[in-house]
Each structure stands twice: as C-alpha cells, then as structure tokens.
Amino acid sequence: MAAASAFAISTSSAHSNLNSDTRFKIDHCTNLSSSSMLCFPPRTRALFNHFRYRIAVPQTPSFTLCPRCDLASDSEIPSKSNLSALELLKSSAADRYTKETSSILVVGFNYHTAPIEIREKLSVPEAQWPQAIDELCALNHIEEAAVLSTCNRLEIYVVALSQHRGIKEVTEWMSKISSVPVSELCQHRVLLFNKDATQHLFEVSSGLDSLVLGEGQILSQVKQVVKTGQGVPGFNRKISGLFKHAITVGKRVRTETSISTGSVSVSSAAVELAMMKLPKSAHDSAKMLVVGAGKMGKLVIRHLAAKGSRRIVVVNRTEDRLNSIREELKDVEIEYRPFSQLLTCAGEADVIFTCTALKTLLFSKDQVQALQPVAPEVGGKRLFVDISVPRNVGSCVSDIESVRVYNVDDLEEVVAANKEDRLMKAMEAQAIIEAEVEEFEAWKDSLETVPTIKKLRAYAERIRAAELEKCLSKMCDDLPKSEKKAIYDLSVGIVNKLLHGPMQHLRCDGTDNRGLNEILENMHALNRIFSLDTEISVLEQKVRAKVKQQNKQVAS
C-alpha cells in the first residue's frame, strides 16, 4: 500500500491544469518529490482498474508531476478569522475565481490507496449520513453532498463553488471526524473532478472498481445513498441526479454484460479465504461462528452452507434477523447466541467471521489468548476473518502464535484467481459507461442555462414593470380596475411572446434536435447581448447567501 499510494493512473495529460478533468490523482501534502504520475490511454484504463495503484515505477526525469489539487498553502489564503468567505472570494484570483462554475468533485479513500487502518477511522455509519451531508453543506464552498461509506471505501461527493477550497474544506472535515491529520490524509486520498468523478461513480455502481470485480452488493449500497439522502437538505439536484443515474448504469451493465455472472462478494471471498487456510479434511467438520446477522453476516452464512457447513453459530443482538435465513436454509442448523455469550462461543469455534457495524473491538489480545486452543485436525490455529470496517478484531491479536487474523485487505488472494477473465468482461461494460457519462454530462451542462433563463426573465420583467408604471401614471386616477388589469395582461403577454423564442433556444429537454453546444452558444450570446454577466455572478450570490445564513446561525 505504501508504494501504491505514490502513484495514480490518469487518462488526462500530465500537464493538465486544475480545471481540466483529471483522472485518479493521489495528492501528497508532503514529500511531493517522491511521487510520479503514470498515464494510460482511456480505453485501456479498465484493464488497470484493479492494479493501477500497485505498480512500482522508479522516478525518472521523463515523468512530470501533475499540479497539486490544493495548491494554495496557508500563507496564500487568509485565515477565516480575518476574512469572510465572500472577502476570500474577492481577494484570491478574483477574475478567475468569480467566473468559476460549480464543480462535482470526489475526495475518496479506497482499498487501492488507503490501508484499513485509515479507512476504519474514516468510516461513517449509514445512520450518520444525513448529519454528514448537513455538516458538509455548512462549509463555505460546498453546495451539495453525498457520502458513500463501505468496507472498501469512503468517498465524499460534493458540488463545490471552488475546486481548491472545496477540496481543502472537505479534507479538513474528514480530518476532524477521524482525528487523522490532514497531512496523512493527503498521502492516501484520491481526487476526481467533474466528468472523471461521474465516470468513477458509474464504475463503482457497475462493480468495476470493487475488490471483487462485478460484485453486486455495491449497487445496493449506492441505492442506499439515494434512499438515505431523500429529503435531506444538501442532497440536491446535481448530486441526487448523479447517484440516480449511477443506479441506472449499474443495472444496465449487469443486464447487458456478463460481468456479474458467477461473481462473488466480499462475504463469499471471506468464506473462500477461510477454506483455503483450513485443511481440506476439515472443511465439513470445522466449527463456524458468525458475529453479526446483517447483510454481510447473512451472506457469510449462505456461502458457508454452500461450502458444506451444516451447523453455524450466530452471535447477534436479536434472534429475529435469523428467521428468514433459517427458512431459506432448512437443512442447516443455525444456532442463535446473544452477545453476552460471545467469548464462550469463540472458545468453541475454529473459524470466526466478524461482520458488524460496531465501532468497538470485540476481541482483544488478552481475550483471545484466554480461549481454549483448537484441535490439531483443523490445523491447530484459530482463524479470525474480520470483514468489518472498523475492525472488530484487534490488530495485536495476530501476534498470538495459535491464531491467524485476516481482514478485507487480505481478500485479494482469493479474487486474483478470476480477475483476468473479469477484466475482459469489464471492457464490455466500459463502452456502456462511457456512453452514459456523456449523457449525464449533457444533462448536467444543460443546467448551466438555468441562471441565464432567470436573469433574462428578470431583466425583461424590470423593463415591463417600469414601462407599465410609466403608462399608468399618465392615465386618470379613477381608471377602472378592469382596464388596469387589461393593460397589465397586455404587458405580460407582450413580454412572454418576446421571450418565448429565446427561452426555447435555452432549454434542453429533449423535445427538439438542438445539440448542447448550440444551446450553450445561445446562452453566451444572450448573456452578451443583454449584458447579463454584468450583474452579480451566480457564484457570488451563492456565497453571499451562505455567509448570510451562517451569520444568522451565529447570531441565534
């Protein structure tokens, strides 16, 4: 992992600037001279998806470092205590910054770049996703947000008013919730922008970026992001549209390609790993303990049954979760035990799978040392397969001679066997994803015309209202209301008919043959003709609103 974190494969030029789409950069706050950027052509990227962070390439003069994404150091940006967000906006490269449009960006940590010791500290339980969205959107330069937190990744998707400051604020927020220093987070984080962020999420939902290529559980987790985000302020149009489209892409890839045929999940890989470490003669006789009966735990039980286990002990808070799995596996004895009997059950088990959402350790070194030893027939070593993030088994437990501990980062030994076949299937999926990315980007870009539509209508409305008032002032004071209304309706009708043509040429709703480029050209032309850009920029309006809202909160 250490060697891996110094490299990233990018489809962009090594000399591209920050505002261009940049593919999988791993950004370093310190020791920048030790990292390099390796680039591959876009169509070969899927083949490298699962080992792109594991290529050790010595630094040579022919490699050029890409610009860092958080170029502005603390010395370049005044502290928040001295300047408001709006003043920062105007004092830092004002012309470029105030013209900058909102960007979709991802700040992520996954199994490619960050060891489990980092990922478990960053893990955000599903119940806390709404709170995380609220905290992220309270940051000065974040408009919308979503959290995707699984055993293999934590990825924060945001719509940022500024790429530089958005990255800085999100990284600082992640440091705050995890107590991991910003400098350490920068060594492992992945940064993606706009089109690359879109493509990455589509690959994630399709199972192309999973530890087990083609696994289906990640699509359910992406669906859960949308379900959890519904009605949460901050999970708004762009981010919700992105995740909903990602679900569509994930379903389409699995329907139109064979990437998920015979695929395995993290849970099945965990069972497979345990079977690899047990003597073959003990596959049927080994005593199995599963801690946790959630989605992961039930999958472990199913796969153990498929491997021949006929008695499985399950430790969980309640027994009711086991009823459905018992109905499904009627020929398997599934015995329930409460958490109060955890250590007793562990002492009787040969293999222990932990798959809970608990943030506390369930097994410490002292507790495991006190357990009775396992029989020689099962290899003489008790196996812990911990697929929980955060981990349920202390890292020091592996120091015990009679114990072997494996976590999610150890599952690659299992999935490597079928990786080559799946990589070829991934190429089929990549063509679908590229087409879907273009479709989503066209929809997202069409939203750029909305501010122009609003400004043009407001411009026309001001003229209409002023001319109406001027007209009425020249008429007698006792003008009947019906005649005033008729004059008012006339003014509104004239404005609406005059605006109809320009508005139609700004809308991108799929009802005509106009392309997005034509619509954007029309937008720029109207901005220029009516001097709409001379008004306060949309970006500045948004920052003003955020500062005003924060001032109210402070005052209350």
Side-chain angles (χ1 to χ4, degrees):
M1 285 291 180
S5 65
F7 301 99
I9 290 177
S10 171
T11 59
S12 307
S13 167
H15 300 282
S16 60
N17 59 33
L18 180 63
N19 291 323
S20 64
D21 289 339
T22 309
R23 190 63 181 154
F24 274 100
K25 289 185 180 178
I26 301 179
D27 171 75
H28 292 264
C29 289
T30 58
N31 198 23
L32 189 63
S33 62
S34 65
S35 65
S36 299
M37 182 65 68
L38 190 60
C39 299
F40 289 90
R43 292 196 176 276
T44 64
R45 186 170 54 76
L47 288 172
F48 296 95
N49 214 28
H50 288 263
F51 50 86
R52 56 190 163 196
Y53 300 104
R54 311 192 188 285
I55 303 174
V57 180
Q59 184 177 355
T60 66
S62 62
F63 285 97
T64 305
L65 288 173
C66 284
R68 292 174 60 187
C69 291
D70 52 346
L71 292 173
S73 64
D74 292 338
S75 61
E76 295 168 339
I77 301 178
S79 65
K80 287 186 181 179
S81 60
N82 296 327
L83 292 174
S84 71
L86 185 59
E87 289 169 331
L88 286 173
L89 174 74
K90 293 184 176 298
S91 65
S92 177
D95 288 341
R96 176 192 66 79
Y97 192 51
T98 55
K99 298 296 182 183
E100 187 176 352
T101 58
S102 297
S103 300
I104 292 179
L105 62 89
V106 180
V107 181
F109 299 80
N110 57 50
Y111 72 97
H112 294 299
T113 65
I116 192 170
E117 290 81 6
I118 296 292
R119 299 201 311 273
E120 66 184 1
K121 293 177 183 178
L122 289 163
S123 177
V124 180
E126 184 181 311
Q128 296 178 18
W129 290 358
Q131 178 185 343
I133 292 173
D134 183 62
E135 291 179 4
L136 286 162
C137 291
L139 301 173
N140 286 339
H141 298 87
I142 305 301
E143 282 188 284
E144 305 179 28
V147 179
L148 178 59
S149 182
T150 73
C151 60
N152 282 325
R153 71 185 71 245
L154 170 70
E155 294 176 346
I156 304 296
Y157 292 77
V158 299
V159 174
L161 299 175
S162 162
Q163 286 185 0
H164 288 81
R165 299 179 190 278
I167 291 166
K168 187 175 187 295
E169 290 175 354
V170 171
T171 305
E172 289 174 348
W173 176 84
M174 296 174 92
S175 175
K176 178 182 176 182
I177 67 166
S178 65
S179 299
V180 178
V182 169
S183 59
E184 187 173 356
L185 292 180
C186 289
Q187 296 177 31
H188 299 285
R189 71 183 179 183
V190 175
L191 304 176
L192 294 149
F193 309 100
N194 297 320
K195 190 173 181 179
D196 286 335
T198 299
Q199 181 162 340
H200 172 66
L201 181 58
F202 290 0
E203 290 172 351
V204 168
S205 67
S206 301
L208 298 191
D209 196 65
S210 298
L211 174 64
V212 182
L213 189 59
E215 62 111 348
Q217 190 173 6
I218 186 63
L219 182 58
S220 298
Q221 291 163 332
V222 172
K223 289 179 181 178
Q224 197 60 33
V225 172
V226 175
K227 182 179 179 181
T228 305
Q230 295 295 337
V232 177
F235 190 75
N236 294 335
R237 190 173 187 181
K238 285 185 180 179
I239 288 294
S240 66
L242 173 64
F243 273 81
K244 288 175 182 177
H245 203 125
I247 294 170
T248 300
V249 175
K251 290 178 179 178
R252 184 184 168 193
V253 165
R254 287 171 173 82
T255 301
E256 299 182 20
T257 74
S258 57
I259 192 168
S260 60
T261 303
S263 66
V264 290
S265 63
V266 169
S267 300
S268 66
V271 172
E272 193 68 35
L273 177 64
M275 295 303 175
M276 289 171 59
K277 303 303 178 183
L278 282 172
K280 288 186 179 181
S281 58
H283 283 190
D284 297 334
S285 59
K287 300 173 184 176
M288 302 293 181
L289 171 64
V290 179
V291 183
K295 293 179 182 178
M296 300 281 277
K298 288 180 179 179
L299 285 172
V300 169
I301 295 170
R302 288 190 183 96
H303 292 296
L304 283 173
K307 290 292 183 181
S309 296
R310 289 295 169 261
R311 182 178 180 273
I312 303 168
V313 177
V314 180
V315 170
N316 197 49
R317 284 199 182 94
T318 60
E319 187 176 2
D320 52 353
R321 283 195 170 188
L322 297 180
N323 294 332
S324 60
I325 196 74
R326 280 172 174 161
E327 285 295 317
E328 180 183 339
L329 305 173
K330 293 183 178 180
D331 57 340
V332 178
E333 180 186 351
I334 300 175
E335 182 181 345
Y336 166 75
R337 298 283 188 88
F339 262 99
S340 58
Q341 299 180 24
L342 177 63
L343 291 178
T344 301
C345 295
E348 299 169 354
D350 301 317
V351 183
I352 301 169
F353 297 89
T354 59
C355 32
T356 78
L358 298 175
K359 286 197 169 185
T360 55
L361 289 178
L362 297 180
F363 295 100
S364 66
K365 185 175 180 180
D366 291 341
Q367 291 171 325
V368 175
Q369 275 183 324
L371 299 178
Q372 64 186 44
V374 299
E377 290 78 12
V378 292
K381 296 183 184 296
R382 178 173 281 110
L383 302 182
F384 283 86
V385 185
D386 185 3
I387 54 176
S388 302
V389 178
R391 288 172 293 177
N392 293 155
V393 182
S395 57
C396 56
V397 173
S398 59
D399 296 336
I400 302 173
E401 181 62 28
S402 60
V403 171
R404 289 292 177 267
V405 180
Y406 303 95
N407 57 51
V408 289
D409 285 350
D410 298 312
L411 300 182
E412 290 196 33
E413 181 179 350
V414 178
V415 301
N418 65 354
K419 184 177 292 185
E420 290 186 11
D421 179 54
R422 295 189 184 283
L423 286 176
M424 297 311 297
K425 294 176 181 177
M427 295 300 292
E428 303 172 19
Q430 198 66 40
I432 295 174
I433 290 173
E434 288 177 4
E436 293 286 354
V437 167
E438 294 303 321
E439 182 177 329
F440 175 81
E441 289 298 306
W443 172 80
K444 180 169 69 72
D445 288 344
S446 71
L447 300 180
E448 297 298 323
T449 65
V450 173
T452 296
I453 291 174
K454 291 181 178 179
K455 287 190 289 183
L456 180 59
R457 181 165 285 283
Y459 173 80
E461 179 61 22
R462 286 196 299 271
I463 295 175
R464 186 202 64 77
E467 293 302 315
L468 176 64
E469 184 179 357
K470 188 187 299 183
C471 174
L472 293 176
S473 67
K474 295 178 181 179
M475 296 183 177
C476 57
D477 294 336
D478 57 348
L479 191 69
K481 287 185 178 180
S482 60
E483 293 185 19
K484 287 183 179 180
K485 185 177 185 304
I487 296 172
Y488 172 83
D489 290 344
L490 174 66
S491 68
V492 171
I494 291 172
V495 167
N496 285 342
K497 288 187 181 298
L498 287 173
L499 289 180
H500 178 73
M503 293 299 184
Q504 286 297 105
H505 284 77
L506 285 178
R507 290 192 172 96
C508 182
D509 54 11
T511 59
D512 50 55
N513 295 323
R514 281 188 297 275
L516 181 63
N517 288 338
E518 180 184 345
I519 291 171
L520 295 179
E521 287 175 7
N522 294 337
M523 179 188 74
H524 295 311
L526 286 170
N527 281 334
R528 185 172 62 253
I529 292 169
F530 292 100
S531 300
L532 300 179
D533 281 337
T534 60
E535 300 179 16
I536 297 176
S537 70
V538 175
L539 176 62
E540 188 171 336
Q541 291 180 50
K542 290 176 180 177
V543 176
R544 282 186 188 276
K546 289 183 77 71
V547 172
K548 185 176 180 180
Q549 180 183 4
Q550 290 167 2
N551 289 340
K552 284 183 179 179
Q553 292 174 347
V554 172
S556 61

